[in-house]
Amino acid sequence: MSEGTSPGRSGADEARPPRTTLQHRLQRTVGLVIFGTATAGAGLLWWAVSGTSRPADDPTDGTLGRWHLLYDPQAPTLVTLAAATGLALLFAAGVALIERRIATLARRSDDGTRLPLSPRRVMQETRGVFHGPVTVTVLVPAHNEEQAIGATLASLRQQEPPPDRVVVVADNCTDRTVEIARSCGVEVFETVGNRHKKAGALNQALTALLPAQGENDLVMVMDADTVLDAGFIASAVRRMTQDRGLMAIGGLFYGEDGMGLIGQFQRNEYTRYARDLQRRRGRVFVLTGTATVFRPRALRTVAAERGRMLPGVPGDVYDTLVLTEDNEITLALKVLGGLIVSPAECTVVTEVMPTWRALWAQRLRWQRGALENLGEYGVRPATFRYWAQQLGIGYGVIALFAYLLLMFLMMTSFDQWVWFPFWLGTGLVFTVERVVTVWNGGWRARLLAATLFPELIYALYLDIVYLKGIVDMSVGRTATWKHVVQSPTTVRADA
């Protein structure tokens, strides 16, 4: 618990088992789950390759135009299914085991040269010192955001308690953004000579802000097209107060209402992402630019390590050379040993892309930015899971293309449609998974998920964007940072 906060415990608290005991039980349970998963995977794989008798699996002749094909219309054999399941379980257990090992070592390390933000080291340095009450300063980078900035600032005013200070970082604005921000009673910081987009604008503002920030003076960065749900700041302050080793808190984001079918596709995608993070107990992949609260120590350490442990220009908090500054600063904090989370109670509502063209530009920047950041950081313990995640995305692209290709071949090869019970059952399980994972998104989300194929087409679209990013990187094509012109926002200001 942070110094200056009440250390008293209620009777109910005293009745609970000590926190360390609960943590030990949880760790033991997670370890047993990983061990059981690996054992099951190994057992299935061993059974599949150990010469178990298998039924004859003769292919069938067929033609596709002038081509002669051999195919098997039957369900995969039990041995094949066991081998595939065994490999998948072993891979999942391996990734979980390595990630858990790396996280544990980072938390327990006090090596200031290699992990200056490790929780153990931070706790040692801040123990026994009163750092004052927790304050919150919000930076809102904005470039021509006159359509959305009003709702964003309104959501900040409605927080209980509200932030101590709000600063709109106006970057080369030519519309009424500055005028609207000032009319809302917040400070405006106008950038000077910035040519590095959002990252450059934030660096200018943080250069002026950070020197006066103490250990408990939190800095929150949020997009100008995002609104906070009630209780975001209060939850973040409570988390930071309870854990001095915590360096950053990211928000779980949901899509705004409207924009028709393309908007619903994105809302379903965001709902599944938020669900995944909740199941991971807040362990975050990316501190998104929608809203993230940082401890000043974390930002200062990142700036100090640029050009040494981290890529980028020495003294810059955000790397101005990357396409996705939020993904990059997440990697930077993890490399430095920083503890970061995205708790379920810190949620925001953000914009969705209104057109397929805008979605293409946004996702191309995200995908290529993530790949370039990984290439810049290389293979390190902190980036291991991200590399595994990219391998998973690549496998997903191949699997989806193969699935749709086989569907096309089957439809053009058979004289009549044939229903295979095995694949019908597999499709039903997949459909149920689609519906369950967006259940919190409401009936529209469930209805779209139940139809299955529209979401597969949407996934195919994103896969093509992913491949485009890889091709652009391979041929050395210069990336661009495109600004999406805002339409009048439908983000809930009263959320």
Side-chain angles (χ1 to χ4, degrees), residues 31 127 202 210 213 247 265 288 311 362 437 475 489:
R127 182 175 294 121
L202 283 171
L210 282 180
Q213 298 292 293
M247 289 294 106
F265 280 134
T288 69
Q362 181 199 53
T437 51
V475 300
T489 183

Side-chain angles (χ1 to χ4, degrees), residues 53-59 72 74 77:
S53 61
R54 61 186 67 186
D57 192 16
D58 297 327
D72 185 355
Q74 305 302 317
T77 63

Side-chain angles (χ1 to χ4, degrees), residues 41-180:
L44 286 171
L45 193 57
W46 174 259
W47 181 78
V49 301
S50 60
T52 304
S53 61
R54 61 186 67 186
D57 192 16
D58 297 327
T60 303
D61 286 299
T63 58
L64 176 61
R66 292 184 300 175
W67 295 338
H68 178 227
L69 302 175
L70 294 176
Y71 60 92
D72 185 355
Q74 305 302 317
T77 63
L78 188 59
V79 173
T80 302
L81 292 175
T85 306
L87 282 174
L89 290 176
L90 281 176
F91 182 76
V95 171
L97 186 63
I98 294 175
E99 184 194 32
R100 184 170 178 76
R101 178 69 175 165
I102 292 171
T104 301
L105 289 176
R107 289 189 178 94
R108 294 176 178 173
S109 174
D110 60 355
D111 184 352
T113 302
R114 191 173 59 89
L115 296 172
L117 292 178
S118 68
R120 181 175 180 179
R121 178 177 177 79
V122 172
M123 297 289 277
Q124 288 176 343
E125 291 182 355
T126 58
R127 182 175 294 121
V129 180
F130 177 67
H131 297 285
V134 175
T135 69
V136 178
T137 297
V138 181
L139 298 183
V140 186
H143 171 69
N144 290 345
E145 305 283 358
E146 65 176 10
Q147 300 286 358
I149 191 71
T152 301
L153 298 178
S155 76
L156 288 171
R157 288 196 301 269
Q158 292 167 3
Q159 293 291 302
E160 185 59 44
D164 299 272
R165 186 181 177 191
V166 177
V167 182
V168 172
V169 182
D171 180 42
N172 298 317
C173 290
T174 56
D175 63 357
R176 297 175 59 246
T177 299
V178 172
E179 178 186 344
I180 294 172

